[in-house]
Amino acid sequence: MQSVPVNPADVTGNAPPPVPTEQTLDISQITTLESGFSSASFSGDDGFETFLAQGGASSDGDVTQFLASRLLADVAVNGSSFGCSTLTVSSPDGHQLFGRNFDWQTCDALVVTSRPAEGYASISTVNLGFISQAGGSLNQMLEQNDIRVLAALYAPLDGMNEKGLAVSVNMIRDNASINQNTDKPDLTTTTAVRLLLNKAASVDEALTLLRQYDLHASMGMMVHFALADTTGRGIVVEYINNEMVVTETPVVTNFYLAEGAKHGIGTQQSHERYDILTQTLADHPTMTMEDVRDAMDSVSKDDFNEFESTEWSAVFDLNTGTAHYYHRENYENRYTFSIG
């Protein structure tokens, strides 16, 4: 196996001069690791506290408007449906591991290492297809690279922070959506992920935070969140009739896990993937990072003869802040990131 360590400090390339703001930002160049897979790093004021203070956002359009006002450029957040699988398990040495597949059509994936001025450092993954230039002029102080990295901070689909909290967004194929309206501040799906990565040190803290906001599904899709932390706790957070429901589970795919009328709604294939991972976990109650990689491989899209692919697989060690990434089902080629 080829292992490619990726230290964000080592892949910045010829970075543009720092962007003048109230606090200097350090934004690396987006570095292509292979076709369709790249990395970047960020440190400084990500603007997320300002975003929360002005009430968050109740739609992707509101996120776009905030980004446009902050970045002084026309950037849109959009996208479409996707599938996923996640697994939470302990390693033989007592570390907590979290595996995640992102199943979608061919896309450009970006791994962002973020060290915000206010909040926890994190590693997260973004589908760059969910971020688009909407036209218009770019601010002369910002290169397009910087705008894309800053916008990517608001569109993560999974990640892990320095405290050992992992989170993943998994889609559920259902006509229902999520649109809470209880006069709390608002979040969309991806900004909820950023909230948890920046501010939650554990599953319990993540749940406390989520209960403080009204959630509105990005792109109108029904989703649920898989969460895990260094205690070994794995849960799924679902929204049924706009009510938040928490279920303890080490395996999450793309159907409802909460008991009740919605239980089991989702794709047949997502049930198959769930059964495979559940049996793998029963057979192997502890796993190494390589074992988790193999488990993710066993439920990757090439096993189901579909047009979609597993665009990335990630294995997070929540105790060390180390992440192993595999791109487009090439499980022989590993990219290693560290929050450090």
Side-chain angles (χ1 to χ4, degrees):
M1 169 183 292
Q2 179 185 3
S3 177
V4 182
V6 182
N7 183 334
D10 296 334
V11 297
T12 56
N14 297 318
V19 179
T21 62
E22 292 182 2
Q23 175 177 312
T24 299
L25 306 181
D26 185 1
I27 305 173
S28 76
Q29 286 285 349
I30 295 175
T31 299
T32 300
L33 304 175
E34 62 177 82
S35 178
F37 189 65
S38 56
S39 67
S41 64
F42 169 90
S43 65
D45 180 9
D46 59 7
F48 198 70
E49 291 298 321
T50 301
F51 172 79
L52 295 176
Q54 54 97 54
S58 61
S59 69
D60 296 330
D62 287 345
V63 178
T64 297
Q65 184 176 7
F66 173 80
L67 290 172
S69 65
R70 176 170 173 79
L71 304 177
L72 302 179
D74 295 317
V75 178
V77 178
N78 50 48
S80 59
S81 61
F82 51 87
C84 312
S85 303
T86 67
L87 173 66
T88 302
V89 64
S90 297
S91 71
D93 56 5
H95 289 195
Q96 304 305 319
L97 308 179
F98 183 84
R100 188 284 210 274
N101 281 354
F102 178 77
D103 303 328
W104 205 64
Q105 302 171 35
T106 301
C107 67
D108 291 325
L110 175 67
V111 179
V112 181
T113 303
S114 172
R115 294 178 176 84
E118 297 183 68
Y120 300 129
S122 67
I123 295 171
S124 62
T125 331
V126 179
N127 175 356
L128 284 174
F130 289 5
I131 303 169
S132 65
Q133 287 295 134
S137 61
L138 300 178
N139 185 290
Q140 296 301 310
M141 294 167 59
L142 289 174
E143 299 291 334
Q144 184 173 354
N145 174 91
D146 296 346
I147 291 170
R148 288 169 70 84
V149 174
L150 283 164
L153 295 173
Y154 289 75
L157 296 170
D158 55 50
M160 164 183 63
N161 69 20
E162 64 177 293
K163 295 298 183 179
L165 180 85
V167 57
S168 166
V169 178
N170 293 24
M171 194 243 341
I172 302 176
R173 191 166 294 173
D174 186 13
N175 291 330
S177 186
I178 307 167
N179 188 27
Q180 294 183 306
N181 185 17
T182 65
D183 294 327
K184 297 175 185 176
D186 298 301
L187 288 173
T188 61
T189 303
T190 61
T191 55
V193 175
R194 175 50 58 198
L195 173 79
L196 300 184
L197 291 176
N198 276 22
K199 300 176 80 69
S202 67
V203 166
D204 282 340
E205 288 188 14
L207 295 177
T208 298
L209 281 167
L210 288 174
R211 291 187 178 106
Q212 294 172 13
Y213 292 86
D214 281 340
L215 185 69
H216 307 269
S218 293
M219 300 157 279
M221 294 187 303
M222 176 54 71
V223 298
H224 51 187
F225 298 107
L227 296 168
D229 63 21
T230 57
T231 69
R233 188 180 181 193
I235 67 166
V236 64
V237 178
E238 298 176 327
Y239 292 82
I240 300 174
N241 298 323
N242 287 320
E243 293 293 328
M244 182 175 142
V245 181
V246 178
T247 303
E248 305 284 334
T249 176
V251 177
V252 181
T253 55
N254 303 105
F255 64 90
Y256 288 99
L257 288 163
E259 294 299 327
K262 290 279 191 177
H263 181 77
I265 292 176
T267 64
Q268 177 58 38
Q269 188 203 96
S270 68
H271 283 266
E272 295 174 21
R273 287 184 274 116
Y274 178 88
D275 291 343
I276 291 169
L277 289 178
T278 300
Q279 186 60 54
T280 298
L281 190 57
D283 294 340
H284 306 281
T286 63
M287 299 184 196
T288 64
M289 291 186 80
E290 289 72 25
D291 293 333
V292 177
R293 172 205 63 197
D294 293 343
M296 293 295 98
D297 185 10
S298 74
V299 292
S300 62
K301 281 293 188 175
D302 64 353
D303 297 295
F304 297 92
N305 299 314
E306 290 196 349
F307 68 93
E308 295 176 326
S309 71
T310 296
E311 284 296 288
W312 69 79
S313 299
V315 183
F316 300 137
D317 184 323
L318 305 185
N319 294 81
T320 66
T322 301
H324 291 173
Y325 277 85
Y326 306 89
H327 186 232
R328 291 182 183 164
E329 304 178 43
N330 180 1
Y331 293 99
E332 297 301 313
N333 191 36
R334 182 179 75 205
Y335 294 93
T336 300
F337 294 80
S338 179
I339 297 175

